[in-house]
Amino acid sequence: MTKTPLFILLLLVLLTSCGTVIKTLAGFKNPKVEDKKELNRYFSELVPNSNTYFLKVNKTGNEYEIFQAIGAGLTSEILIFSQSGEKYCYQGIEECSGIQMQSVFKNFNENYFPCKEESSLNLSTYLEKILDIDGNSIKLENLPKTDFYIFQHWNKYSGTRKKLQQDVNWLLDLKKKSNLNVTMLFVNGDMLEEWGLEKNAELPIKFKKDGDKFTMTFGKLPLKK
């Protein structure tokens, strides 16, 4: 069995702060290996006129890279970058991610500032982790000109189709009502067949509660034979 990276454990701890972790786990299914074109069609049916990007694995079948991509797809962290590429972090007092997201569009300048902690993640390094539907790398010059970019991950296994549609529409509605010059970009976090995985196979995941923390244990990756 392979233990999850630390950042997944931290994700689940953060979710407990606004009471959403149980709801999340209640709708959580074992991730299934998906086809990228089918995922693109699934998203376009839910959110017409919106594109989705996909997480990249550089070496097909590399378990470490695949688990890293799965972990990135699980996180609910709000990734915000300025046009110059600097990452912005929430520095208010609210712990619930939903309230933090509302503050992006209602009072961004009061709650979001360049991240204090040293991090190698900036817009350029993040764009290296994702691809478009045709497998092309994403270049900054190809993105819309805007003051800020927000990247939101989504996947099929964390909840129902209806819940995903509600969440995405909620975000787009917040943006529509805001004066903030921002572009929303959606990134799929499902396991992809092109990573060297067996289509429609599942990755078993077990949850364990220890006090107010949850840990996740992954089963064996369904690598393509």
Side-chain angles (χ1 to χ4, degrees):
M1 302 292 278
T2 304
K3 285 287 186 179
T4 58
L6 180 59
F7 55 82
I8 300 179
L9 171 61
L10 293 178
L11 161 69
L12 296 180
V13 174
L14 286 174
L15 284 174
T16 63
S17 65
C18 52
T20 60
V21 69
I22 300 300
K23 293 180 181 179
T24 298
L25 297 185
F28 198 99
K29 304 179 288 290
N30 283 337
K32 187 175 73 172
V33 180
E34 305 278 357
D35 176 82
K36 190 164 64 174
K37 291 184 178 179
E38 292 175 5
L39 286 169
N40 190 66
R41 182 164 54 249
Y42 179 91
F43 189 77
S44 63
E45 289 173 354
L46 290 181
V47 194
N49 304 316
S50 292
N51 297 320
T52 185
Y53 298 100
F54 300 87
L55 292 167
K56 179 175 68 172
V57 166
N58 292 311
K59 186 177 180 180
T60 302
N62 184 292
E63 293 192 46
Y64 177 78
E65 283 194 49
I66 293 173
F67 275 121
Q68 288 291 100
I70 292 171
L74 271 169
T75 181
S76 61
E77 180 188 7
I78 303 166
L79 292 176
I80 305 176
F81 301 97
S82 66
Q83 189 180 54
S84 64
E86 196 169 22
K87 184 182 177 185
Y88 274 63
C89 292
Y90 178 76
Q91 296 181 25
I93 60 174
E94 293 289 348
E95 296 182 344
C96 178
S97 59
I99 296 177
Q100 290 181 19
M101 178 60 84
Q102 290 182 54
S103 70
V104 172
F105 298 99
K106 291 182 178 180
N107 48 5
F108 183 87
N109 293 329
E110 287 76 27
N111 289 303
Y112 283 85
F113 301 91
C115 300
K116 294 180 180 179
E117 72 275 8
E118 292 186 11
S119 173
S120 59
L121 186 64
N122 54 41
L123 182 56
S124 295
T125 56
Y126 182 76
L127 290 178
E128 292 174 359
K129 301 176 184 291
I130 62 176
L131 300 169
D132 67 13
I133 181 61
D134 297 316
N136 299 315
S137 298
I138 312 303
K139 303 297 183 183
L140 177 58
E141 54 266 29
N142 299 135
L143 295 179
K145 299 301 180 184
T146 187
D147 292 338
F148 295 97
Y149 300 95
I150 295 180
F151 291 87
Q152 180 66 49
H153 293 140
W154 69 275
N155 61 60
K156 289 176 63 176
Y157 57 86
S158 291
T160 64
R161 180 187 180 99
K162 181 179 180 181
K163 179 64 165 57
L164 174 60
Q165 186 172 38
Q166 289 174 340
D167 289 345
V168 173
N169 287 338
W170 177 70
L171 291 173
L172 294 176
D173 189 55
L174 287 176
K175 177 183 179 297
K176 184 178 179 180
K177 295 177 179 178
S178 173
N179 293 322
L180 186 67
N181 184 20
V182 61
T183 295
M184 290 286 308
L185 300 159
F186 296 94
V187 179
N188 176 259
D190 286 287
M191 297 191 303
L192 300 181
E193 183 182 8
E194 66 180 42
W195 294 351
L197 301 174
E198 201 68 48
K199 186 179 180 182
N200 294 324
E202 293 186 356
L203 172 66
I205 297 181
K206 292 184 178 181
F207 296 91
K208 181 179 179 181
K209 189 173 187 298
D210 182 13
D212 62 349
K213 298 179 181 180
F214 286 80
T215 57
M216 303 171 67
T217 303
F218 289 163
K220 186 177 180 180
L221 274 176
L223 295 173
K224 190 173 293 185
K225 298 178 181 179

